[in-house]
Amino acid sequence: MLGGSCWAASATVHPDQWPRATWPLPSDAALEQRVAALMAKMSVEEKVGQLIQADILSVTPDDVRHYHLGAILAGGNSKPKGALTATVAQWQALSESFYRAAMEPQPGHAAIPLLFGIDAVHGHNNAVGATLFPQNSALGATNDPELIRQIGAATAAEVRATGINWSFAPTLAVPQDVRWGRSYEGYSQDPRRVAEYAGAMVEGLQGKVGTPQFLDGEHVVASAKHFLGDGGTVNGKDQGDAQISEAALRDVHAAGYPPAIDAGVQTVMASFSSWNGQKMHGNHALLTDVLKQRMDFQGFVVGDWNAHGQIAGCSNDDCPASFNAGMDMLMAPDSWRGLYEHTLAEVNAGTIPMSRLDDAVARILRVKFRAGLFEAGAPSTQPIVRHAGDVVGSPAHRAIARRAVRESLVLLKNNHGVLPLDPRKHILVAGDSADSVPRQSGGWTLNWQGTGLKSSDFPGAQTIGAGIVEQVTAAGGHAEIEAEGHYTRKPDVAVVVFGEDPYAEFQGDLPNLLYRPGDDHDLALIRRLRAEGIPVVAVFLSGRPLWMNREINAADAFVAGWLPGSEGGGVADVLLRTRDGRVANDFHGTLAYAWPSTAVVGQGRPQFALGYGLRYTDHASLPPLPENSGIHGEQIPVGNYLERGKPVHGYVFTLVGAQGHGVPADVSRASTPDGGLSMSGLDFKAQEDARQFSWRDAGGELAVNAHAPLDLDRETNGDVLLVTTLRVDALPAQDAWIGMGCGTGCQGRVAVGKQLATLGVGSWVRVGVPLKCFRAAGADMHRIEQPFTLGAGKGSTLAIARVALGTETDQVIECAK
């Protein structure tokens, strides 16, 4: 895996050195006539509207009707009417209302249907009851392009059944550093595998060019993303800079785009990231000279979530440079109104040439005509929508997903032939992930980060543990699920299912490849069961390879289970023999990402190379692996400020009195000089792993200071929260607040007392404050010097164990209106 490079790299592009692609759709005079005739009727205002995409939480059908917007989207946390999760019927009602607004007859206006985009990245992962396929890093292990095509077709059908016509997929990133939190969205670190899959997934989503199925009522418009180099940033940083040569950008990171264009992909999404310092949303040489001209891409280029605002001289609501570079539609989820107004003014002033506007609009309209949106009618009239109950989560689609689970599993170790298991025996299924659909599905599942969910949110899905119990019971054996590994009768074998918590971009970014630094409870469980004389099969669920040598050594067998999605029974299909002793499903998967030998990226040879994967016929035992991770010192996840009641490395914790005088809070007992605020140690999960704070007088506060200012703007735009694990012991008044400071006279405070008062006394809870609340309250999120401050009134007593950025909470504080 490659990180950044220390050599000085140029951002000069040589288009003639890039591969050509072949746009597969023949010249269509009738289509061009339709586009020209429609554009002749459109005002400049209507044309500009086609260039704007707004999010459903910030736009209404009336807005679409008034501004003639070209597209809407539902972001990862955007659901109809702000619901936490959304049913098929709710999505259908929403798409119907927006369709009718766009197509409502208006004098002097030509009605143009909307494109409605959504991140259906491992199935229609936004709809309750949909089939959830394994995440892309798992699919890469199947080495099965035809399976990828089937998954694309099934996903497209389920998306269309909810009235939505555009999927932001496939991801064609080629991750070179799996510390990147989006690594699981990439099929492989091998560009050849990505290139093999690119056309197959596009054809699955859109249908094959030249057939009646192409962009018919059961398929969606696809979007190859993110152009370009998102998987090659320095240190795997999300939205970072790919400091690599033009050859690496072309040969590694662009590998999937020519096959996608050859398959007729209708849209390409530009990347947040930069190449050698230049943001992709403003890179004319790559967007226009390479993609549109050299590769002959004749669809349109869409932006990512306010990414245009990161271009020098631009803001979220004003960026002519992005359009002039070759962007055709900008995703302006909550900034669309200002972007529309500024873009209109810039077109009228000539800052954006009329020829560039017309080219962008024509590209968008061609896609809408090709997709048959003008003829499709309202969603409620479409056959697939009317029969959604037979489509979404159908047995046929779940069968495809279950096959994908079987094919994606990679066997790394099978000492003493412990696998396959005899289903007639007594089997214990243990581990945090043994009976959890959310944990086996990962991020981008019903919400952006895939957090805060329970298995009951997934009707029709099956956990890994339930799949094992079902098959063992049917064979006459006995199986039980107990997460902590306790049992009343000693089992013949234990299957321990464990792994990463769900995450998506930048919440999933890592500083190294350690698994759960400082938390060895999974390893302890495996070792305890082994010490009790029970053979252990470890099934590790993750979006990427991590350093797991200790866990691999501790277990008799070790399976890379990736993130399998809703069909956990597919794991049982491979681990278990049939009741008559046959092997019905051998291991099939091989590593699409090399497995590391240390937790230091790029250090040493891989522990298991690309293409590694055992079969049941492989009988050699794996010798013990080295257990030196290469990482030294205590490891704290990025974005943590207080851990176990103490400041993490790089931060200073202070008690500040009413007169502004502070004292260090790095010991378990301290008080301000005026005695108004005191702190003592407290046991939460371990000895003195929390702190209790008592306000004798009003005015005192807690403050965590960073050694250098933090830029939390991208986390703020991404709906991240400041999560405090706390306990209310006394709160006589509702004047408590949590804040962030950004220098002298710059701060944002959010009142939390009213909601804390409802929590009850004596219970530990995770309270989250959206970072957007601090921004709205006056904090400059580009330069946060105090990422956590807290104050309360006289007589208050609060205990705190942890403060960190995150999305997993028990209680979310609403921003002041």
Side-chain angles (χ1 to χ4, degrees):
M1 289 175 287
L2 304 175
S5 177
C6 60
W7 51 270
S10 167
T12 301
V13 177
H14 303 84
D16 60 336
Q17 297 178 11
W18 287 67
R20 292 188 181 276
T22 303
W23 184 250
L25 294 162
S27 178
D28 189 338
L31 171 62
E32 295 305 315
Q33 289 175 358
R34 293 184 74 183
V35 171
L38 180 54
M39 290 182 63
K41 300 176 183 178
M42 296 172 67
S43 65
V44 173
E45 290 80 4
E46 290 172 314
K47 290 179 179 178
V48 170
Q50 288 297 302
L51 275 55
I52 308 296
Q53 184 175 40
D55 184 78
I56 60 170
L57 292 188
S58 300
V59 69
T60 66
D62 282 341
D63 291 328
V64 167
R65 185 182 295 109
H66 178 72
Y67 289 93
H68 311 299
L69 300 182
I72 59 171
L73 81 148
N77 285 335
S78 300
K79 304 293 182 289
K81 297 183 178 180
L84 295 177
T85 59
T87 64
V88 169
Q90 288 173 317
W91 283 116
Q92 290 173 335
L94 183 74
S95 61
E96 182 81 8
S97 65
F98 275 107
Y99 173 86
R100 293 195 178 280
M103 299 304 288
E104 182 177 294
Q106 298 180 44
H109 165 65
I112 301 174
L114 279 171
L115 278 164
F116 188 165
I118 201 163
D119 288 277
V121 295
H122 64 123
H124 192 7
N125 43 265
N126 291 279
V128 171
T131 308
L132 297 177
F133 296 93
Q135 296 276 8
N136 285 354
S137 58
L139 296 181
T142 68
N143 194 23
D144 191 342
E146 178 54 34
L147 174 62
I148 301 307
R149 184 178 284 103
Q150 293 179 26
I151 290 172
T155 299
E158 297 201 12
V159 171
R160 284 306 292 264
T162 57
I164 298 171
N165 52 33
W166 185 10
S167 175
F168 299 139
T171 296
L172 300 181
V174 189
Q176 298 299 291
D177 187 332
V178 297
R179 289 178 294 179
W180 184 36
R182 300 193 77 159
S183 291
Y184 65 82
E185 296 186 48
Y187 295 117
S188 177
Q189 73 180 80
D190 183 353
R192 294 169 297 182
R193 181 68 52 87
V194 175
E196 289 171 352
Y197 280 17
M201 181 56 82
V202 169
E203 288 187 352
L205 290 168
Q206 295 188 165
K208 185 175 179 60
V209 173
T211 70
Q213 290 74 42
F214 179 64
L215 292 176
D216 68 3
E218 297 187 2
H219 291 85
V220 294
V221 170
S223 183
K225 66 182 189 183
H226 303 86
F227 190 85
L228 186 62
D230 50 346
T233 61
V234 174
N235 298 325
K237 183 179 179 181
D238 189 60
Q239 302 182 17
D241 189 18
Q243 297 176 12
I244 56 179
S245 67
E246 182 183 8
L249 186 71
R250 178 193 67 220
D251 299 340
V252 175
H253 298 282
Y257 288 92
I261 294 169
D262 291 346
V265 69
Q266 294 294 294
T267 69
V268 168
M269 183 180 290
S271 178
F272 262 108
S273 60
S274 306
W275 176 52
N276 293 331
Q278 185 173 356
K279 284 289 180 182
M280 285 293 159
H281 274 62
N283 195 316
H284 185 278
L286 288 171
L287 294 175
T288 299
D289 299 344
V290 169
L291 179 62
K292 291 182 175 180
Q293 295 178 3
R294 180 69 176 180
M295 293 186 180
D296 196 27
F297 172 62
Q298 295 183 30
F300 72 83
V301 182
V302 64
D304 207 343
W305 189 277
N306 277 332
H308 55 275
Q310 297 184 1
I311 296 174
C314 287
S315 64
N316 289 355
D317 62 2
D318 187 8
C319 194
S322 195
F323 287 116
N324 288 337
M327 296 299 303
D328 300 307
M329 178 185 288
L330 292 184
M331 187 185 292
D334 53 3
S335 59
W336 65 267
R337 197 183 308 265
L339 182 64
Y340 171 89
E341 293 169 350
H342 282 109
T343 302
L344 178 60
E346 285 148 1
V347 168
N348 287 329
T351 306
I352 300 174
M354 189 62 69
S355 59
R356 177 75 270 271
L357 173 68
D358 285 345
D359 174 58
V361 173
R363 286 174 174 270
I364 294 166
L365 294 180
R366 288 188 193 104
V367 170
K368 293 184 176 185
F369 278 122
R370 291 187 195 112
L373 301 187
F374 287 85
E375 296 78 33
S380 60
T381 69
Q382 297 169 17
I384 196 167
V385 175
R386 295 202 306 269
H387 297 94
D390 298 325
V391 177
V392 178
S394 71
H397 293 169
R398 292 188 183 278
I400 296 170
R402 187 160 178 159
R403 172 187 161 197
V405 174
R406 292 195 296 265
E407 291 192 19
S408 66
L409 302 177
V410 179
L411 181 61
L412 300 182
K413 176 183 179 180
N414 189 24
N415 284 12
H416 316 300
V418 64
L419 286 173
L421 303 177
D422 184 344
R424 298 167 298 178
K425 299 290 188 178
H426 179 203
I427 299 176
L428 171 69
V429 188
D432 292 344
S433 302
D435 200 31
S436 172
V437 177
R439 291 179 66 85
Q440 68 191 39
S441 299
W444 289 107
T445 301
L446 294 187
N447 62 47
W448 175 42
Q449 297 283 332
T451 55
L453 302 167
K454 51 190 181 300
S455 292
S456 59
D457 293 322
F458 302 87
Q462 186 178 52
T463 66
I464 293 171
I468 292 174
V469 169
E470 179 182 66
Q471 294 191 37
V472 169
T473 302
H478 180 262
E480 59 182 313
I481 304 172
E482 212 293 316
E484 300 298 324
H486 302 303
Y487 52 86
T488 54
R489 168 187 161 200
K490 185 176 180 180
D492 296 306
V493 66
V495 178
V496 177
V497 188
F498 67 104
E500 293 186 288
D501 295 325
Y503 57 84
E505 56 258 42
F506 60 78
Q507 278 296 291
D509 287 359
L510 295 175
N512 53 55
L513 300 182
L514 288 176
Y515 169 66
R516 293 191 183 282
D519 180 359
D520 287 342
H521 77 276
D522 297 313
L523 177 63
L525 173 60
I526 296 171
R527 286 175 171 171
R528 173 172 64 80
L529 292 170
R530 281 286 303 281
E532 293 169 0
I534 302 168
V536 174
V537 175
V539 178
F540 179 53
L541 304 185
S542 71
R544 54 195 162 194
L546 295 172
W547 184 73
M548 301 299 296
N549 283 15
R550 297 180 303 162
E551 291 81 359
I552 293 172
N553 283 343
D556 295 279
F558 192 94
V559 177
W562 312 109
L563 296 171
S566 62
E567 307 313 301
V571 176
D573 292 345
V574 179
L575 297 189
L576 300 171
R577 294 181 182 272
T578 62
R579 64 185 304 166
D580 59 4
R582 293 181 299 105
V583 174
N585 298 285
D586 200 346
F587 279 88
H588 175 96
T590 59
L591 292 178
Y593 291 85
W595 203 279
S597 58
T598 79
V600 181
V601 172
Q603 185 177 91
R605 296 171 60 87
Q607 191 67 63
F608 304 104
L610 279 173
Y612 181 90
L614 300 175
R615 302 290 183 268
Y616 282 138
T617 52
D618 296 320
H619 299 299
S621 291
L622 182 71
L625 305 177
E627 296 196 0
N628 179 7
S629 72
I631 302 292
H632 306 285
E634 185 179 24
Q635 299 298 306
I636 301 295
V638 175
N640 284 27
Y641 306 127
L642 289 179
E643 191 73 38
R644 295 185 288 278
K646 297 182 290 185
V648 305
H649 180 70
Y651 298 92
V652 176
F653 190 27
T654 306
L655 303 185
V656 182
Q659 304 302 315
H661 302 298
V663 296
D666 54 359
V667 293
S668 61
R669 186 174 294 276
S671 62
T672 57
D674 58 12
L677 174 60
S678 62
M679 177 185 77
S680 59
L682 186 73
D683 295 348
F684 173 34
K685 294 183 177 180
Q687 184 175 1
E688 289 203 358
D689 62 341
R691 299 289 182 266
Q692 188 176 60
F693 304 90
S694 298
W695 280 261
R696 192 181 72 179
D697 297 311
E701 63 184 67
L702 326 175
V704 173
N705 291 272
H707 288 323
L710 308 173
D711 186 349
L712 300 181
D713 184 67
R714 67 183 182 131
E715 288 86 348
T716 303
N717 290 333
D719 293 330
V720 173
L721 302 91
L722 180 69
V723 181
T724 305
T725 303
L726 58 79
R727 187 184 74 187
V728 176
D729 294 325
L731 201 65
Q734 296 181 2
D735 51 4
W737 53 265
I738 293 176
M740 283 190 166
C742 39
T744 304
C746 178
Q747 63 180 349
R749 291 184 177 181
V750 178
V752 299
K754 184 176 181 180
Q755 286 180 263
L756 292 185
T758 67
L759 299 179
V761 173
S763 297
W764 285 95
V765 293
R766 296 166 299 176
V767 175
V769 181
L771 297 185
K772 289 181 177 179
C773 297
F774 299 118
R775 181 171 64 187
D780 180 352
M781 304 308 292
H782 288 286
R783 56 181 187 92
I784 296 297
E785 297 180 5
Q786 292 179 316
F788 175 72
T789 58
L790 182 148
K794 181 178 179 180
S796 298
T797 302
L798 301 173
I800 296 176
R802 184 174 187 264
V803 179
L805 299 183
T807 57
E808 190 83 42
T809 67
D810 301 306
Q811 179 80 31
V812 176
I813 304 295
E814 295 183 0
C815 299
K817 297 182 180 178

